[in-house]
Amino acid sequence: MLISAVVGGLIGLVAGGITNKGGSMGVITKVLAGLVGSSVGQLLLGSWGPSLVGMALFPSIAGAVIVISLVSFFFGKKE
């Protein structure tokens, strides 16, 4: 479970870097975004490509980008 959290955090970190919206997110939020994004990405895109701890990396990162974008759209600061 700890390894899943670490991989989820890395997926959330990569997705935050892709979207440029993960800077204001904390570590726990990035882990949650990575784990939820992994589920969303694999649900939408399947489980193709390399995987770590049962998480297919490419669909997981794509799902985390979707999750981070939606969260920042609804809960982000309005400038």
Side-chain angles (χ1 to χ4, degrees):
M1 189 160 164
L2 180 62
I3 296 172
S4 295
V6 169
V7 172
L10 291 174
I11 289 170
L13 181 69
V14 169
I18 290 172
T19 60
N20 289 329
K21 297 179 182 178
S24 63
M25 299 175 101
V27 174
I28 294 174
T29 309
K30 286 182 184 176
V31 170
L32 289 175
L35 293 173
V36 172
S38 176
S39 297
V40 169
Q42 289 185 37
L43 181 70
L44 295 175
L45 302 173
S47 59
W48 53 273
S51 65
L52 290 171
V53 194
M55 296 180 209
L57 295 180
F58 298 126
S60 296
I61 291 171
V65 166
I66 292 169
V67 168
I68 289 174
S69 297
L70 286 174
V71 168
S72 66
F73 178 76
F74 287 110
F75 299 109
K77 294 180 181 178
K78 307 291 184 209
E79 294 185 67

